[in-house]
Every structure is written in C-alpha cells, then in structure tokens.
Amino acid sequence: MGSLSNIVAVAAVVAALVAGGSCSPPNVPPGPNITTKYDGKWLAARATWYGEPTGSGPADNGGACGIKDVHLPPYSGMISCGNEPIFKDGKGCGSCYEIKCKAPEECSNKPVVVFITDMNYEHISSYHFDLSGKAFGAMAKPGLNDKLIHRGIIDMEFRRVRCKYPPGQKIWFHVEKFSNPNYLAVLVKFVADDGDIVQMDLKEKASPEWRPMKQSWGAIWRMDSAKPLKGPFSIRLTSESGKKLVATDVIPANFIENAVYKSNIQF
Ligand SMILES: *[C@@H]1O[C@H](CO)[C@@H](O)[C@H](O)[C@H]1NC(C)=O
C-alpha cells in the first residue's frame, strides 16, 4: 500500500472516531493489561453476548480457558470472554470482574460479578466483554433482562475484583485427557483472590526439585518429560500478584486422564 492510501485510511479512521458515529468503531486497539491493582476505579468497556439469550454460554466446550461445566455452580453461567488485556493469552483465565451499565434505561447500574473463561478478539473497543446471555441480562433492573439482551451491544463499566467462592471451595486440578507419564497436562480452577495463575511448578515425590510447567493454553499447564514422571505429584501455584501456594501430593502416582483431583488449599 502506498503512503498516500495509508494517510487516506488513517484519515477515514480518525473521521469515524471523531464522528463517534452509530457504526461500530473500526479496529480499536486493545487497552493496557488489567492487573491486580484493585484500585476500585471503574473503566469503560463495551458488552456483547453470545450463546442463548438466557444461557450460560457454551456449557461444555470449555472455551479458550478449557474450563468446562461453566453453567454449574460456582460459575452458574456468570461468565465472560475477555479481549486481550483481560484474557492475557490465557493468564487471565479465572479472574473476576464487577460489571455494570447505566444506559439504556433497562440497566440497573448495580454491579454483578463475572468470571473470565474465554477470549474474544474482535476489536470493537479497548476493553470488550462478550458475556453469556445470563451475565449480560444480569446487568438489568429486575424483570428487564430480556429487554436489555435485545440491545445486543451496550456500553458498560468494569473493575477487577478479588474472586470469592462459596466457603469451603478449594482449588481443583483436572488432569487433562491424553495425560500419561511422559505428558502431564493439568487444568487449574476455582482459584480465589486474584483468580488467575501465572506459573505452575511440579515436584515428583522422590525429587527435591520443583520444575516449571509450561502454559499449554488457557488454564492448562503441562510438563513434557522424556523420562517417565513418577508421582505422587505436588503442584506449586503462583497467582498474578506473586503469592505462592503448594498442593502437596495432590495428584497420585496412579492418576488417570480426564479426572479431577481436589486439593485442600485455597488463596
Ligand atoms: C499483557 O499480558 C500478556 C499475557 O501475560 C503479555 O504477554 C503481554 O506482554 C502483556 N502486555 C503488557 C503491555 O504488559
């Protein structure tokens, strides 16, 4: 593309933004990453929804985080896709946000909490929440969920909050399908406080050494090993703000693939 057409293209984008038009703004770059500041400040975003109007999003496919059964408690369908600064290449999986809307008139302006379980990289605004129908409707005044949902796309506000789970809910590890002694892939869920995990390390019972796992995708971390891994395995978690926790011997030596192992730890 020649420089003149570049300038014309940029001018067109600027004109569209200045007009603040009724059309979706073209290709808005993502905002800065949302971190664990918890400063209480509300930021502007746009909200859309997917799946069924009253639904929890796709119940069983696990989304880009790999977290299944999001229609069940404790998520109960209160879930959202985040764009780049929220999803953070999967490091944002499990993080929590308060969301609310002021307009249109169906909006209650009362915050509700959603969990990030998926990604959405359409560039319609710096921050974008593509919510389950249930979560989108939950921003409405009582009885007006359905009316709000029919707006399709609205402006909203959000802020990062610490994740809270029902009392007694500990962190769970799901040993992913196809795991074996040379390939152990583990999904982490129900992480309170920051909600998201930025590092997972593994220790074999007989070894003094913690070895870093690699983020596979979403909330799934993996260890590949030419030498067969020998359990039981302990897992060390590092949350986004740097806190560490160890789940001792949480995965047994005779683990099976596609199985849940519940820890007794929680942030
Ligand atoms: C945002 O987070 C992602 C995922 O952790 C990271 O790769 C990227 O460098 C971060 N961006 C900034 C500007 O910090």
Side-chain angles (χ1 to χ4, degrees), residues 40 42-43 96-100 111-114 129 139 156-161 164:
W42 293 93
L43 295 170
C96 295
Y97 288 87
E98 277 184 347
I99 59 169
K100 62 176 185 175
V112 295
V113 175
V114 291
F129 289 77
M139 289 189 287
M156 55 162 269
E157 292 178 292
F158 73 100
R159 62 183 180 189
R160 179 98 181 253
V161 292
K164 294 198 177 87

Side-chain angles (χ1 to χ4, degrees), residues 47-130:
T48 53
W49 61 272
Y50 69 119
E52 300 293 315
T54 53
S56 343
D60 221 37
N61 77 1
C65 290
I67 302 172
K68 293 188 178 167
D69 295 330
V70 290
H71 59 299
L72 299 177
Y75 299 124
S76 304
M78 293 299 287
I79 53 145
S80 183
C81 307
N83 69 337
E84 287 93 332
I86 296 166
F87 180 74
K88 294 184 280 195
D89 279 334
K91 299 258 169 67
C93 287
S95 55
C96 295
Y97 288 87
E98 277 184 347
I99 59 169
K100 62 176 185 175
C101 66
K102 283 196 186 100
E105 61 191 354
E106 297 86 65
C107 286
S108 72
N109 201 28
K110 290 204 184 106
V112 295
V113 175
V114 291
F115 297 88
I116 300 302
T117 59
D118 209 339
M119 62 181 265
N120 186 284
Y121 284 3
E122 288 159 26
H123 294 147
I124 62 163
S125 59
S126 319
Y127 298 106
H128 175 197
F129 289 77
D130 193 23

